[in-house]
């Protein structure tokens, strides 16, 4: 394996990938993801802004083109525990959303839909810029406890408990209803930003948020997966770990030699399917695929080029 | 795990560390739960002047049903409804309206109820006249123009249920001794709480205000019985012999008014 970073001593993730694949290919999934996030927001915004109604409501419950009801199943579950079975449209909406995430991928919501992801990604970006370390890393199971606490409070107090504090819906509601800066919503969102920036690296989405945790549980057996199909080309540059919001999902797929083979698929449901690992990998180890694709490939495209590039950097250094 | 020495797992993490981590996580989550419970207690009541949309369930049930999506807000043709923020007088994200800003126009097809996916606005409400968003009350009894003896009548005239929900009750104007006071009286059994009266009150601060029904209603009291009603039902007085207690502070020999006093009708010179 070639040791790189001759010209990248600070190990800025993605820099090698840009050099090898070009900026656009090294940002393909990030651009797609930001476009999706913007698009999901835009369908709620065309109505209030231009009178062109596509989707009414918020992420808690919405109605698209007056025919497609969608409901947050976590909210529906809390309402049920609080003693209220939703109206038929609400239940249908919850079933549709649950089915989509259960089949496609639970935490697709986190990286492709959730508006708060942009905030926490921004906090992470700044955290890396300021060279703040990992900070406080609460146990990854805390999020299950928070989820349980939200459900317990809903049951005991007969209210949809998480919606009292949920920064995801507060941000979305604030943007869609134009009240983001007129109340405390922005304060809650800012608190999450500050928490992720100064207290805990990837703290909110990765360790605490019960909304993502709910979708993660729903998508245990989902289809879309990232695969380290070309893992033989991995040169342990660790850039995928640097950008991955849930880095512990990578080793089982990548560490083929040490653990005696195994599937190249990123199987852990914590994976948000953001695809950033695909972008930043200079040797094109990863690709977006499905649950039943166990193929392993070694395409000679990027790898030799990367090695050559690394060689030239080493000479410079 | 059991085969490892010193309780170490095969990944080199001690059992104690796992346990401590788990307890810590549970404690943290318990703290979060307590904070959340405190918040949910605090948000139990909708504070006046916030009113719920037509068809809203009782407040505690409403909070267990409303998913805070804002679809009712979107489908309100008069922009009456708004979603509460943290600083507003209703639970965060729930719909409410302020009658003095924009009252409910009482649409016959009740689009807000039709839009509700959660059932927090009950589909059982099919006639908007049956809505009970609150109850209007004449709170400014010393400022209401009608109660001062003038003929404002605005609240009465704008009431969608004129002569049912608000009536004008006539009584003598003792100040002039000559005129009639047309007192606007709200009837809680028919008032929908739409707030059109509060919106259109001509005073700087409305003399008639819609309050949440729970606050405005005195409730049924079956402890006291009305003697005349009981008498009518029974056909005779409940008490055979009327109790005649001695009158105190009343001097039967005293004249009712000073003989040379002027006032009332005699004094009035237009």
């Amino acid at each position: 394996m070639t040791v790189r970073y001759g010209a990248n001593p600070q190990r800025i993730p993605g820099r090698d990938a840009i050099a090898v694949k070009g900026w656009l290919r090294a940002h393909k999934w990030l651009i797609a993801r930001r476009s999706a996030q913007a698009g999901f927001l835009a369908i709620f915004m065309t109505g209030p802004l231009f009178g062109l109604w596509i989707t009414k409501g918020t992420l808690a419950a919405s109605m698209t083109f007056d025919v497609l009801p969608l409901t947050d199943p976590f909210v529906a579950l809390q309402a049920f525990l609080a003693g209220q079975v939703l109206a038929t449209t609400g239940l249908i909406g919850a079933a549709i959303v649950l089915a989509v995430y259960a089949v496609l991928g639970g935490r697709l919501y986190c990286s492709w839909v959730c508006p708060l992801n942009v905030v926490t990604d921004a906090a992470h970006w700044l955290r890396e810029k300021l060279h703040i370390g990992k900070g406080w890393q609460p146990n990854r199971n805390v999020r299950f406890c928070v989820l349980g606490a939200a459900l317990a409070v809903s049951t005991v107090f007969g209210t949809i408990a998480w919606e009292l504090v949920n920064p995801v819906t507060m941000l979305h509601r604030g943007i869609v209803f134009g009240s983001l800066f007129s109340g405390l919503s922005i304060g809650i969102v800012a608190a999450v930003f500050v928490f992720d920036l100064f207290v805990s690296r990837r703290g909110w989405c990765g360790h605490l948020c019960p909304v993502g945790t709910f979708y993660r549980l729903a998508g245990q057996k989902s289809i879309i997966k990232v695969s380290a199909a070309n893992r033989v080309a991995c040169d342990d540059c660790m850039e995928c770990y640097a950008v991955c919001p849930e880095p512990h999902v990578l080793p089982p797929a990548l560490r083929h030699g040490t653990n005696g083979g195994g599937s190249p698929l990123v199987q852990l449901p914590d994976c948000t399917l953001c695809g950033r690992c695909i972008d930043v990998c200079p040797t094109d180890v990863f690709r977006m695929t499905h649950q039943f694709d166990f193929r392993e490939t070694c395409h000679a495209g990027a790898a030799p080029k990367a090695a050559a590039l690394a060689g030239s950097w080493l000479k410079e250094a | 795990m059991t085969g490892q020495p010193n309780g170490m797992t095969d990944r080199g993490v001690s059992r104690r560390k796992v346990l401590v981590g788990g307890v810590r996580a549970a404690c943290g989550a318990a703290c979060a739960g307590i904070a959340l419970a405190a918040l949910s207690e605090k948000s139990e009541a909708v504070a006046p002047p916030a009113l719920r949309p037509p068809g809203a369930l009782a407040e505690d049930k409403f909070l267990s049903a409303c998913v805070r999506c804002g679809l009712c807000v979107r489908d309100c043709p008069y922009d009456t409804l708004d979603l509460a923020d943290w600083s507003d007088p209703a639970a965060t994200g729930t719909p409410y309206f302020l009658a003095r800003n924009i009252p409910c126009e009482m649409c016959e097809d009740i689009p807000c109820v039709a839009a509700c996916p959660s059932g927090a606005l009950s589909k059982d409400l099919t006639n908007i006249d049956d809505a009970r968003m609150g109850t209007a009350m004449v709170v400014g009894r010393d400022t209401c123009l009608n109660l001062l003896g003038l003929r404002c009548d605005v609240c009465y005239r704008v009431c969608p249920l004129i002569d049912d929900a608000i009536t004008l009750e006539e009584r003598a104007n003792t100040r002039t001794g000559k005129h009639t006071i047309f007192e606007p009286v709200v009837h809680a059994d028919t008032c929908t709480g739409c707030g059109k009266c509060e919106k259109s009150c001509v005073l700087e601060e409305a003399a008639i205000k819609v309050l949440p029904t729970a606050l405005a209603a005195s409730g049924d009291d079956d402890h006291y019985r009305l003697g005349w009603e009981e008498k009518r039902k029974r056909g005779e007085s409940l008490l055979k012999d009327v109790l005649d207690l001695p009158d105190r502070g009343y001097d039967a020999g005293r004249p009712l008014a000073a003989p040379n006093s002027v006032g009332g009708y005699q004094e009035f010179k237009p």
Side-chain angles (χ1 to χ4, degrees), chain A residues 136-158:
Chain A
W136 176 54
Q137 290 289 291
N139 189 312
R140 287 211 177 258
N141 292 329
V142 169
R143 50 184 157 183
F144 297 108
C145 300
V146 176
L147 178 74
L151 295 178
V153 174
S154 295
T155 313
V156 175
F157 291 89

Side-chain angles (χ1 to χ4, degrees), chain B residues 11-23:
Chain B
R11 286 166 62 205
V13 184
S14 77
R15 182 178 293 135
R16 171 188 282 191
K17 203 173 171 190
V18 170
L19 275 174
V20 167
V23 169

Side-chain angles (χ1 to χ4, degrees), chain A residues 61-85:
Chain A
S62 66
M63 179 62 86
T64 303
F65 289 125
D66 287 329
V67 289
L68 177 68
L70 294 175
T71 310
D72 182 340
F74 179 46
V75 171
L77 176 63
Q78 289 175 81
F80 176 74
L81 292 175
Q84 178 71 31
V85 178

Side-chain angles (χ1 to χ4, degrees), chain B residues 64-88:
Chain B
S64 65
C66 176
V67 299
R68 299 141 204 245
C69 65
L71 282 169
C72 53
V73 176
R74 288 294 187 222
D75 280 9
C76 173
Y78 298 97
D79 288 338
T80 300
L81 300 174
D82 207 351
L83 287 185
D85 206 330
W86 271 48
S87 48
D88 290 322

Side-chain angles (χ1 to χ4, degrees), chain B residues 134-195:
Chain B
T135 307
M137 292 190 88
V138 181
V139 290
R141 293 191 61 82
D142 49 354
T143 50
C144 169
L145 296 183
N146 266 41
L147 277 165
L148 288 172
L150 299 160
R151 288 304 299 274
C152 164
D153 293 5
V154 169
C155 56
Y156 165 74
R157 301 235 171 256
V158 298
C159 179
L161 298 175
I162 184 169
D163 282 327
D164 279 325
I166 301 186
T167 54
L168 291 180
E169 303 295 327
E170 299 174 20
R171 58 181 169 85
N173 184 341
T174 52
R175 182 179 61 82
T176 64
K178 186 176 185 182
H179 298 91
T180 303
I181 284 176
F182 292 84
E183 181 186 354
V185 174
V186 179
H187 301 278
D189 54 336
T190 44
C191 175
T192 64
C194 72

